[in-house]
Amino acid sequence: MVEMSQMTISTLKTPTFYLHCYVDFTLLREFLHVDDLADAVVFLLENYSDLEHANVGNGKEVSIKELAELVKDVLGLKWELVRDMSKPDGTPRKLMDNLKITPKISLRDGLVDTYKWYVENYGKQYCR
């Protein structure tokens, strides 16, 4: 497997590139943009005084396969996803059920913004 430090975006765009996924494609996770999390933290600081932990999430689960396909689409990649069965699976679900917020930034928009930032900051080195 290619180390990320050696990988370029052009490497990822080759039709023969295989992305090895070490977890079951059906595992579900929640994703929240850091700006939405920051808003939630400010809200909690102003409105929450319990001693219990406060979990922050948006209540929308995404499978690992959906995430990989979304990244593939946003970056315009041609890779094939391959499940590597040599590693153990993770927890099937990690849904936050305490403080559900409505995110201002969708997962797709967050990925687009992150990729844009990456290209602008590391484009000469990795995006050839």
Side-chain angles (χ1 to χ4, degrees), residues 60-124:
K60 296 178 185 174
E61 294 175 304
V62 175
S63 73
I64 297 302
K65 183 171 184 172
E66 289 171 309
L67 175 65
E69 292 292 343
L70 185 57
V71 169
K72 180 178 158 182
D73 183 52
V74 166
L75 275 62
L77 303 177
K78 301 173 186 174
W79 66 38
E80 182 178 331
L81 295 173
V82 177
R83 171 75 201 286
D84 185 337
M85 303 291 280
S86 69
K87 306 285 191 240
D89 281 340
T91 304
R93 296 178 79 193
K94 290 189 178 182
L95 186 63
M96 298 294 140
D97 58 0
N98 190 295
L99 177 65
K100 288 182 185 159
I101 65 166
T102 302
K104 295 176 187 170
I105 302 168
S106 70
L107 179 56
R108 174 179 276 284
D109 290 345
L111 289 171
V112 168
D113 289 346
T114 300
Y115 180 55
K116 181 181 173 185
W117 177 90
Y118 181 83
V119 168
E120 289 171 356
N121 289 276
Y122 295 99
K124 292 177 184 160

